[in-house]
Amino acid sequence: MTENNDTGPNAPAQRTTHQPAQKAQKDQRYLEARRLLEAGAVTDRRALAENTKTRPEVLYYLAEDADRQVRKKVATNDNTPHQADMILTSDPDEEVRVELARKIARLVPGLPDLEQEKLRTRICTVIERLAQDSLPKVRAILAEEIKNSTAVPKSVVLQLARDVEETVACPILEYSPLLNDDDLKEIIAAGLTENALVSVARRETVSEDLADDVAATLEIPAVAALLANPNAQIREETLDSIIDQAREVKSLHRPLAMRPSLSIRAMKRIAGFVASALVHHMINANALENDAAENILERVRARIMSERVDDTEAQRLLEQARDYHARGMLDDAFIVNGIENNQRELLIQCLGVMADIDAKVVRQILHSKSGRAVTALAWKAGLSMRTAFQIQTELALVSPSQLVAAKNGETYPLDDSEMVWQLSYFTE
């Protein structure tokens, strides 16, 4: 008798036992889930709601559970079906909707890569519903997460950009690549809050037309943000208008002076009213050649000379300086703060008290254009070389070619005898 090994090509297929076992296991889990739904405690339903292996139909049922914690866990569960997510967009508990917004926001970066158009459409449908939520927190979470996306519906982006809540509108206005110039100009024309307009001015690219519209609002923070944005294209005529406005608006002085690629004409106009401390920053930011820099510095020096205080005010400032000195307040930090706050006349009196030199002599040294003389004054006043350099550039307006730099980045480059010699030109 021949033994049949069932090994030939026509042998019957081997039966597998693992598939029925898996099905039985799934059925058992489903029956257990049904039991917990019907008779289980709330803790059991919460466990089902957060388990990513729970069947979608069970999660759909739990989306309307009486317990808010159950619904919150369904909202966070990535396995929750679309129909359940749509139910949760109208959930009466705001925290449930917040958690849903966070989950949907996590899915946004993957939208362009989704192969199933049906799934992408479903996610976008939930996004559209969340964008209409009555709770600003929900809309803000959504706006923050989709601000850089090109895959979300533009209608949603436009809706969020026009939102009355700044936490919602600002991220979209500043970052969304879906907003074009026409969209932004229309939104500006309809009226924006101050911070929302600042967000527009900070966009990665701001065209000349868009810059015109921002500047035309005359909102100071937005104009300052526009000037500070190196990628904002500003027409010369628009810049002229801003300069006219900035003369009386101190908060625009720094962003104007620090604006890159200014024309010589614009720099001369700006130098006519900004603090002397900003002029060197402006010169350095635009890498001016020595002759052009000196021309601007000379204009500023002439302006400063014409702004001197009268004798009564000078005496008051001298007494104030003596009081500060008696209380031990005159140091490097005090001088630097005075420079940054454009307290020029007070600083002249303070340097005189610190160096035991008459204020008139201090003024002569500061107007001498000599980096060595100014450095010697700072040394006599007991200041650091770092402060001495700042006095040269921002208070004395020493030309770039005449500046005295620190030795090894921090110490005075001149010896004591040369310091005394430099001062002797003015004190003897």
Side-chain angles (χ1 to χ4, degrees):
M1 188 171 122
T2 305
E3 183 178 356
N4 185 3
N5 292 324
D6 291 336
T7 58
N10 297 320
Q14 296 281 331
R15 293 195 176 189
T16 57
T17 58
H18 68 280
Q19 289 180 344
Q22 283 182 342
K23 184 177 185 304
Q25 190 176 24
K26 287 182 179 179
D27 291 343
Q28 183 61 34
R29 284 204 301 266
Y30 177 66
L31 290 174
E32 177 63 14
R34 283 287 303 271
R35 186 188 69 78
L36 293 175
L37 283 175
E38 294 169 0
V42 67
T43 54
D44 296 325
R45 301 201 306 278
R46 289 175 182 176
L48 277 176
E50 68 181 350
N51 191 335
T52 56
K53 294 184 179 179
T54 299
R55 292 175 66 149
E57 57 266 36
V58 174
L59 292 171
Y60 176 78
Y61 182 86
L62 290 172
E64 296 183 297
D65 195 276
D67 182 70
R68 65 188 292 267
Q69 292 299 327
V70 170
R71 303 198 307 277
K72 280 181 68 174
K73 292 181 184 299
V74 174
T76 62
N77 195 325
D78 289 344
N79 199 39
T80 297
H82 168 71
Q83 295 87 343
D85 282 338
M86 288 298 291
I87 290 173
L88 293 173
T89 61
S90 302
D91 195 279
D93 191 282
E94 60 186 42
E95 285 303 313
V96 172
R97 305 198 308 276
V98 166
E99 291 303 326
L100 177 63
R102 289 196 176 108
K103 180 183 73 176
I104 295 300
R106 292 199 307 268
L107 301 176
V108 169
L111 278 178
D113 300 324
L114 288 178
E115 295 181 359
Q116 298 182 34
E117 181 63 30
K118 188 175 182 180
L119 179 57
R120 184 189 295 109
T121 301
R122 285 179 173 179
I123 294 174
C124 288
T125 303
V126 178
I127 290 173
E128 289 172 345
R129 185 73 66 85
L130 290 172
Q132 300 171 12
D133 197 280
S134 61
L135 185 67
K137 185 177 180 180
V138 171
R139 305 196 304 275
I141 290 172
L142 187 65
E144 183 63 30
E145 294 301 326
I146 72 170
K147 64 184 181 184
N148 293 309
S149 176
T150 58
V152 295
K154 185 172 179 179
S155 59
V156 170
V157 169
L158 287 170
Q159 180 178 341
L160 295 175
R162 295 188 176 101
D163 201 288
V164 295
E165 296 290 337
E166 291 181 346
T167 56
V168 179
C170 288
I172 299 294
L173 289 170
E174 183 170 351
Y175 295 104
S176 179
L178 294 179
L179 296 177
N180 57 38
D181 271 15
D182 290 339
D183 298 325
L184 292 164
K185 287 164 70 68
E186 183 179 335
I187 291 171
I188 292 173
L192 283 177
T193 65
E194 181 179 282
N195 288 334
L197 196 58
V198 167
S199 296
V200 174
R202 288 176 176 167
R203 285 180 66 86
E204 185 176 1
T205 301
V206 178
S207 69
E208 290 181 340
D209 288 343
L210 188 56
D212 286 348
D213 280 24
V214 172
T217 65
L218 302 181
E219 289 286 351
I220 303 305
V223 175
L226 187 70
L227 292 168
N229 186 347
N231 295 321
Q233 306 300 312
I234 305 177
R235 290 189 178 95
E236 193 71 21
E237 312 87 81
T238 305
L239 188 61
D240 280 342
S241 177
I242 293 173
I243 292 173
D244 289 338
Q245 178 190 14
R247 184 175 292 274
E248 304 300 327
V249 183
K250 192 173 181 180
S251 58
L252 288 179
H253 290 190
R254 178 170 290 276
L256 254 182
M258 300 303 293
R259 175 76 186 167
S261 303
L262 291 170
S263 67
I264 295 291
R265 175 177 167 277
M267 281 188 276
K268 287 179 179 179
R269 293 193 65 201
I270 294 167
F273 58 85
V274 301
S276 59
L278 293 173
V279 176
H280 251 284
H281 288 299
M282 182 171 66
I283 289 172
N284 290 336
N286 290 276
L288 284 188
E289 295 182 357
N290 288 336
D291 289 347
E294 178 56 28
N295 183 275
I296 289 177
L297 291 173
E298 192 57 45
R299 288 169 175 260
V300 180
R301 295 188 196 107
R303 171 169 63 87
I304 290 172
M305 287 292 289
S306 68
E307 296 173 348
R308 290 175 58 177
V309 299
D310 58 31
D311 292 342
T312 301
E313 179 64 9
Q315 183 61 36
R316 187 189 71 80
L317 293 174
L318 174 58
E319 292 171 2
Q320 190 174 352
R322 286 171 175 168
D323 178 58
Y324 288 154
H325 188 256
R327 288 191 280 162
M329 296 173 58
L330 300 185
D331 55 13
D332 286 274
F334 184 95
I335 298 299
V336 169
N337 183 70
I339 292 173
E340 292 175 351
N341 287 284
N342 198 33
Q343 297 174 300
R344 182 180 186 82
E345 293 299 325
L346 174 60
L347 289 178
I348 288 174
Q349 298 294 340
C350 290
L351 288 170
V353 171
M354 295 169 75
D356 194 22
I357 297 175
D358 189 274
K360 292 182 180 179
V361 176
V362 172
R363 194 184 304 278
Q364 290 173 1
I365 294 173
L366 293 178
H367 286 283
S368 68
K369 308 178 189 177
S370 169
R372 288 176 175 266
V374 174
T375 299
L377 171 64
W379 166 79
K380 187 72 164 52
L383 298 168
S384 70
M385 182 57 204
R386 183 183 295 273
T387 303
F389 191 81
Q390 195 163 348
I391 292 173
Q392 289 181 75
T393 57
E394 299 180 24
L395 187 63
L397 296 173
V398 175
S399 301
S401 61
Q402 299 298 317
L403 290 173
V404 176
K407 182 180 180 182
N408 298 323
E410 58 182 23
T411 59
Y412 278 95
L414 310 177
D415 59 33
D416 292 0
S417 60
E418 185 167 0
M419 299 284 199
V420 173
W421 185 67
Q422 289 289 335
L423 293 174
S424 69
Y425 276 105
F426 302 91
T427 58
E428 292 181 0

